[in-house]
Amino acid sequence: MREQIEDRTRSARRRIVQAAIHLYGEMGHNKTTVADIARSLSMSSASVYRFFPSRRAIEEAVVEEVLEEAVGAAAEAAGGSGPALRRLAAILKAIADCNEARPAKHRRLQDLVTLAVRQNWTVVLAYHDRIRGLVRPIIGTGQARGELQGGSPMALTCCLLEAMDVHLNPSRVGAATLRPSFGEMLRFCTDALRRTPFLQPAEMTAPVQLKAAG
């Protein structure tokens, strides 16, 4: 009985979120009321508030649903095989592709996502935690295999994601700023992560031979 109630609750919440996504995309979140969402589902506003305590709670659920697309794509990329740098590149590309596609797919929802990111909503902080949780183990594995440079895997994870933020941040989609391309930024980051051959002291201090001009 309890499971049936929980299933109905999840189903109702999902219907409300999907209705909100549709209306936010059509009218924008600022112009959409809880009554609009309820009406589209042939429900009363009171019924909607049974599942979400406030309009903000609905908005958070919508943002979570939208960002889940990027998390899902990143998780799928993380499950691949091969060298650590290749897997990291696949994760970052998956997130960047989702960000680029979002405005066309969800139209006016981007304003709500941008607001959530700038105000550090809980669902956005959780999203960043999940992305770090996908990246960190791959960096740790790459270090263990001798593919990546040493250091704290979490510190390197944060450095990588921060450096790539212009392409990964959900709020910076389509920003009219001078920025390197995704490929250029990725090459910069992977070169920084890649473990370089260790130079022996003799190699490091060997004098440079200069040829005299003829």
Side-chain angles (χ1 to χ4, degrees):
M1 183 64 177
R2 182 177 179 180
E3 291 182 358
Q4 292 178 344
I5 294 175
E6 291 176 350
D7 287 343
R8 285 198 295 268
T9 298
R10 282 193 293 268
S11 178
R13 285 176 59 89
R14 181 161 184 79
R15 288 177 60 224
I16 292 169
V17 169
Q18 291 303 314
I21 288 176
H22 175 73
L23 291 174
Y24 290 172
E26 290 292 328
M27 304 190 303
H29 71 283
N30 285 323
K31 294 182 179 180
T32 302
T33 66
V34 173
D36 292 327
I37 297 171
R39 192 178 305 112
S40 72
L41 295 170
S42 299
M43 298 170 64
S44 66
S45 296
S47 295
V48 172
Y49 283 123
R50 285 177 52 205
F51 301 101
F52 291 94
S54 65
R55 173 177 164 174
R56 169 64 179 268
I58 297 174
E59 292 176 346
E60 289 182 345
V62 167
V63 172
E64 183 178 27
E65 180 79 9
V66 172
L67 295 182
E68 183 62 31
E69 295 179 12
V71 174
E76 183 176 353
S81 58
L85 288 177
R86 183 187 303 168
R87 295 174 65 196
L88 290 173
I91 291 174
L92 301 179
K93 185 66 165 59
I95 298 171
D97 285 349
C98 284
N99 284 343
E100 289 298 326
R102 185 177 304 115
K105 184 174 182 180
H106 293 297
R107 292 197 280 178
R108 301 175 69 176
L109 265 179
Q110 184 58 36
D111 289 343
L112 179 60
V113 173
T114 299
L115 176 68
V117 172
R118 290 177 178 174
Q119 294 185 351
N120 287 321
W121 289 9
T122 301
V123 291
V124 174
L125 298 179
Y127 162 78
H128 289 310
D129 281 342
R130 293 178 68 186
I131 297 301
R132 284 191 291 266
L134 292 173
V135 172
R136 188 197 61 76
I138 295 177
I139 287 181
T141 299
Q143 290 176 318
R145 293 176 178 174
E147 301 172 16
L148 306 181
Q149 65 168 286
S152 163
M154 181 54 78
L156 292 180
T157 294
C158 293
C159 288
L160 172 62
L161 296 178
E162 184 67 25
M164 294 294 299
D165 184 71
V166 71
H167 294 286
L168 304 183
N169 191 318
S171 71
R172 300 182 69 174
V173 176
T177 58
L178 180 64
R179 62 179 182 177
S181 69
F182 176 85
E184 290 169 337
M185 200 66 228
L186 181 63
R187 283 192 294 274
F188 175 83
C189 290
T190 53
D191 285 346
L193 284 173
R194 184 178 291 110
R195 184 177 182 182
T196 55
F198 178 73
L199 295 178
Q200 297 295 328
E203 294 177 287
M204 297 174 64
T205 58
V208 177
Q209 300 296 323
L210 301 176
K211 291 185 178 181

